[in-house]
Each structure stands twice: as C-alpha cells, then as structure tokens.
Amino acid sequence: MTAQTLDRTTPQSSGWRELWLKEDWWAIWLGLGIVVIAYLFFADGSSIKWVAVTPAKWHSFDQLGAHFAANYLRYIVQFLLWLAIFTVALTALGHKAGEFIPSFIFLYIFSVAIFALGQWDQANKYNLEPPLVALVLGLIISNLIGVPKSLAAGFRVEFYIKTGIVLLGATLPFTLILWAGPTAILQASIVSIVTFLVIYWVGVRLGLDRRLAATLGAGGAVCGVSASIAIAAAVGAKKDDAPIAITLVIVWAIVMIFVLPFVAQALGLSAGVGGAWIGTSEFADAAGLAAAQAYGDLAGHGAVAGTSDQAVWSFTLMKVVGRDVWIGIWALVLSIVATTRWEKTGIDGKPEFGQIWWRFPKFVIGFIVASLIVTAVTSGYSLADYNKTVVPTLVGPIKDLRTWAFIFCFLSIGLTTRFRGLANAGGKPFIAFTSGVVVNVVLGFVLSALVFASYWENLTR
Amino acid sequence: MSNRDACLGCGHFRNRPADIEAAMPGLTSLGSAYNSARGDDGLCLKHGRYIDARAWCADFFAIATGLTL
C-alpha cells in the first residue's frame, strides 16, 4: 500500500483519549482488572483458579483426552472470557469485532494445542518448549500455507505481550524491582548507549543518512520496532527508513529467540543470568519473552540451574525497566540533535520535553501497580504460608493466565511474520545493524554473566 | 507557528494506526501502531517522511480546504 492510498480521514490527536485509544492503557485495564478480581476472590476465601485452567502434565493420549473431557467446560468459559475482554478492548481501539472473533477462535484453538504439547512428559527431550513451538508453527503457517488477511485481526502481538507483562507484575515482588531495578537500569543503559553508537557510527561511515542510522540504532539498542518508529518520527526520517529498521529487528529478534537460550544453556548460565542476558541482547519485548520463557522452561525441567520465574523476572527487569521506559528520553535527545545539527528536511520541529511522557510505554505503570498490589496484600504472610496459600489460590492462577497471554503473543509473532512481505533492508543497513548486534550480544553477556551475575543469580522472593 | 498549523491539522498528514500499520511492512510482527511510544506521529504524504504530529512546514494546508493528492 502506498502512502497515496491511505484513508483521508482527519488525523487525530490522542490526548486524554489515549486512555481508551492505546493498547498500553487497555493492557493496564485488562491486566489490573484480572489482578483485582483475583484478589477479591482470594480475600473471599475462593480463587479464580477454576477459570485459569491449563493443560496438565500427560504421558499418553488417554491421559490428555481424560483431562480435556473432565475440564472442557473450564476451557470454554476461559475462552469466552478472553474473547469478551479482548473484543471490548480491540473494538474500542478501532478493530472490527466481526473480524477479530473468528481470528481469536483460530488463535485459541492452536494455543490450547501448543500448551498441551508443552505439557507432554517427553516435550523437553525434543525441545518442544511452548514459546518456540508457537513461534515455529506460526511461521510455518504464515510463510508456507498463508493466512487470509481477514483472519489476521486477532494476531495482536504487542497487545497480548503487554497484557501478559502487567499480569507478570503481580507475580514479581515489588521488593525485587526496588532491589534489582537500579542494576538493570545501569546495565541496560551501558549496553543501549554502546549499541546505538556502534550502529549509528557504522551506518554513517557506510554513507547512510543520519536519520536512517539513528532509526536503526534505536531499533537495536532500545526497544526494537517501537523504538524504531518513535525515533523515526522524532528525527523526521524518510517514510521507508522505519520499515528497513523493522525488517532488521524482526530478522535478528527471531534468530536470537533460538540462539540465545541455546547458547546460554551451552555456557551453563543459570536461569536468572540467562534471562538478564536475553533482556539485554534481545530486540523486542515479545521476542525476548519468548526466549526468556523458553529458557525458564528449561530451568523448570531441571536442564538449567535456577527457577523458571528467575529467567522471566530478570528478563523483564532488564528489558522493560532497564530499556523500554527510556524511549521518550532517547526521542528527546535525538530530536534535539536532528533539529540543531543535521541537515534540514523542509519540515521544522521543536524538541519537546513532553515526549518523555507521551512516548512513555504506559503498560509499565500497570506492571508496577500489579506488583505493588500483590506485594501489599501478601506482605503479612510468612514464606511458608505464602507458598501454601497465596501461590495456589492467587499468584498461581494469575501466572497461568499470564502464560496464556504469552502463548497468544508467541503464536501471533509467527502468524504475522511473512518474510516475503518485509521491506528490503539493503546491504549497508544490514551491516550497520549487525555490527550493533555483535557488540550487544558480547557486551550483554559480559555484564550479565560476569559483572552483575550475583544480582541475576539471586533473584528470589 | 500555532498548534493549528502543525502537521496534525494538515491535509498531507495521516496518522490513523491502521494506515500506519498498512504502510509499514512487518510493524505488527513485533510492534504496533496502537502503542503509546508512537504518540500521534504519522506520515507526511507531501515530503515522504514519518514525522511528529507537532512538526510544521511551509506546505501546510488546512484539512478543511480539501485534498488534491
């Protein structure tokens, strides 16, 4: 689609309407809504665990069949609840319910199958970790079979991952955020600044336009696709610059989903250290969580030291707290540089401090608030009581719903990634971006596994 | 320059999320045009750039005057 065919409706400013016109806020409403409801049930001596059903461990198809025969009503109710809340949110965002509903039915059925496969007691033996299976299956369907455009309305990668991250906040003690957050910010800042400068410097040396080089640098250094388009706008890049960065982010992010967990395991990294490395060196939240969740699953099976939670927690602290929240500052600094130092484009702009807030990834607020809520309401429990009472009836069901949201996301990544449909990145942008990838991965490893290892190995409640 | 003359009010400017996602291949794979980080940014059809809605230029024309693309 060319720019000239774009719909001619009046451009809109979000303003306060952002509260219902942005996925970030809807992720907060849905995520915190689930957390509050879960707490109300918990406080009443009950639990939402009935609806937070997940496939059980199984050895034979008979066992699997028996599980679904006994729990089919729970799955139906859970499906209807997901469908209802997502339909409300996406309709408010401007999507058509008539297109979303069949798409989500497709997504849920495949998600159940992927989740069940991951619970097979031989799954670990064949590396059938649900995040990786979801991604590969989605890629196969999208690239070899094809997905009708009308069925794509429900494949909202970023919405699902943000909803899942808000739910993840409820399972992450706020004290851990306070304890490890500053380290995450320090480590992530070092890697982000170095990675950006490498990509930018190599890009400019290769003769790339400075605005394209900055767009590439932000994609590799900050938060992937979101950073690329935010910085592209902040510096006034050509309309084809962001798609080039998007292509490179997608290609490298998908490669790293498979490479980072594999290499981390080969190097014997613990779950916490591996998660921190993935958080430092992956390029997008969704892709990184797929890798971190897969590494956590390895820990859950005993193939890696530590716990499944440690991989996901350290990843989230590093990526979300350490990198994502700084996008507004990156945009401000680069908009100042672009307007004062770079060649003119015919479009003028005044760098505004306000963008630190309006570009802020608001779902992080939901993540923090969810952590605060659950930490506050469970602070009076001893560790033994917490594990005996709170985990099975409050935190466990929220974690199970979080896992569903992540599987919807991981499958959607594959289903929306059509390699033939991506923009042609070209050789020079590829070299520049790849230079940053190499530096990022090596530096991320040194900081995660050597310099700050003690922090990431000791992420416990 | 007043806010009234910023790109947000210009006939060359497009910032509907669905349009942005359609114009940027791969955006929905690991991102979204509905996220907060994008703000109100959009495409300038006149200059062929992706820009901040608060920017401005000499080619501004108010939406109400009609479009001649």
Side-chain angles (χ1 to χ4, degrees):
Chain A
M1 177 166 143
T2 65
Q4 276 65 28
T5 65
L6 297 177
D7 196 325
R8 293 184 179 186
T9 52
T10 305
Q12 297 287 315
S13 171
S14 300
W16 283 102
R17 301 187 315 138
E18 182 178 350
L19 294 174
W20 63 91
L21 287 181
K22 293 289 188 181
E23 285 176 345
D24 289 61
W25 284 107
W26 275 106
I28 293 175
W29 307 141
L30 300 189
L32 289 185
I34 290 171
V35 171
V36 169
I37 290 170
Y39 171 67
L40 292 176
F41 273 77
F42 172 76
D44 193 43
S46 183
S47 172
I48 63 165
K49 66 183 178 185
W50 187 86
V51 79
V53 60
T54 62
K57 279 283 178 191
W58 58 278
H59 176 70
S60 67
F61 283 112
D62 287 344
Q63 289 176 326
L64 184 63
H67 167 81
F68 283 116
N71 295 286
Y72 72 92
L73 188 59
R74 297 171 69 188
Y75 284 98
I76 290 173
V77 173
Q78 184 192 81
F79 163 73
L80 291 174
L81 285 174
W82 282 126
L83 183 68
I85 62 175
F86 286 146
T87 300
V88 168
L90 290 171
T91 302
L93 287 167
H95 298 279
K96 294 175 182 166
E99 292 179 357
F100 172 71
I101 291 170
S103 176
F104 188 72
I105 292 172
F106 174 89
L107 192 70
Y108 189 80
I109 290 171
F110 273 90
S111 295
V112 171
I114 291 163
F115 208 151
L117 181 62
Q119 295 294 70
W120 179 33
D121 64 1
Q122 300 298 306
N124 186 42
K125 183 177 171 184
Y126 299 104
N127 290 323
L128 297 175
E129 309 302 338
L132 305 184
V133 173
L135 181 67
V136 171
L137 180 64
L139 287 172
I140 290 172
I141 293 173
S142 174
N143 288 278
L144 299 182
I145 300 171
V147 179
K149 198 176 177 184
S150 60
L151 203 58
F155 308 152
R156 300 303 310 178
V157 171
E158 195 155 296
F159 185 40
Y160 298 136
I161 202 69
K162 287 176 175 173
T163 302
I165 290 174
V166 173
L167 293 174
L168 193 155
T171 67
L172 179 62
F174 189 67
T175 47
L176 271 189
I177 297 177
L178 292 178
W179 180 69
T183 306
I185 291 169
L186 175 62
Q187 177 172 328
S189 297
I190 294 169
V191 174
S192 292
I193 292 169
V194 172
T195 302
F196 177 87
L197 291 175
V198 168
I199 295 174
Y200 181 80
W201 185 80
V202 173
V204 172
R205 295 285 292 181
L206 289 172
L208 296 182
D209 176 75
R210 291 179 188 278
R211 289 174 170 82
L212 171 57
T215 302
L216 293 171
V222 189
C223 51
V225 169
S226 297
S228 292
I229 62 170
I231 298 306
V235 301
K238 292 175 185 168
K239 69 180 176 61
D240 295 330
D241 289 352
I244 290 171
I246 290 169
T247 294
L248 293 168
V249 167
I250 289 173
V251 169
W252 275 114
I254 289 178
V255 168
M256 289 299 166
I257 289 174
F258 296 96
V259 168
L260 288 175
F262 175 78
V263 176
Q265 184 184 13
L267 293 172
L269 302 186
S270 67
V273 172
W277 186 23
I278 293 167
T280 312
S281 298
E282 251 292 4
F283 305 101
D285 290 359
L289 261 168
Q293 182 84 54
Y295 203 58
D297 289 345
L298 290 173
H301 297 136
V304 165
T307 67
S308 177
D309 276 343
Q310 286 176 324
V312 175
W313 287 350
S314 60
F315 165 83
T316 307
L317 286 166
M318 186 62 64
K319 184 71 177 68
V320 176
V321 177
R323 293 168 66 188
D324 291 357
V325 300
W326 308 104
I327 181 60
I329 292 176
W330 279 96
L332 174 65
V333 170
L334 288 169
S335 65
I336 292 171
V337 174
T339 52
T340 59
R341 303 287 300 272
W342 295 349
E343 67 278 13
K344 301 295 182 188
T345 62
I347 300 173
D348 294 314
K350 178 181 153 191
E352 295 196 40
F353 283 91
Q355 63 188 310
I356 293 174
W357 167 246
W358 83 62
R359 294 192 189 281
F360 186 84
K362 312 295 189 307
F363 74 98
V364 179
I365 297 170
F367 166 78
I368 300 285
V369 171
S371 175
L372 273 170
I373 290 174
V374 174
T375 301
V377 301
T378 61
S379 60
Y381 289 83
S382 67
L383 184 58
D385 285 342
Y386 181 89
N387 288 330
K388 183 182 173 187
T389 307
V390 178
V391 169
T393 56
L394 178 61
V395 172
I398 293 174
K399 185 176 172 182
D400 290 336
L401 292 177
R402 176 193 93 191
T403 304
W404 279 110
F406 284 170
I407 292 179
F408 300 153
C409 167
F410 302 149
L411 183 55
S412 295
I413 294 174
L415 290 169
T416 52
T417 302
R418 286 184 61 253
F419 291 110
R420 277 175 297 182
L422 296 176
N424 182 7
K428 291 179 180 177
F430 177 81
I431 293 170
F433 194 89
T434 303
S435 303
V437 171
V438 172
V439 172
N440 182 313
V441 168
V442 173
L443 189 56
F445 171 80
V446 170
L447 293 175
S448 302
L450 301 177
V451 179
F452 297 115
S454 60
Y455 277 90
W456 310 122
E457 283 173 349
N458 296 307
L459 280 181
T460 52
R461 184 172 299 282
Chain B
M1 203 283 303
S2 68
N3 286 336
R4 185 172 54 84
D5 298 331
C7 293
L8 186 65
C10 177
H12 295 300
F13 187 71
R14 299 290 184 276
N15 77 342
R16 284 200 330 165
D19 291 340
I20 302 298
E21 291 189 348
M24 292 193 180
L27 176 55
T28 56
S29 293
L30 289 174
S32 167
Y34 294 83
N35 67 19
S36 292
R38 191 181 70 82
D40 297 321
D41 305 335
L43 290 160
C44 170
L45 307 187
K46 174 73 177 177
H47 293 271
R49 290 187 179 270
Y50 184 67
I51 55 174
D52 186 336
R54 293 159 184 79
W56 67 88
C57 80
D59 296 306
F60 175 87
F61 78 99
I63 292 167
T65 62
L67 299 172
T68 52
L69 299 178

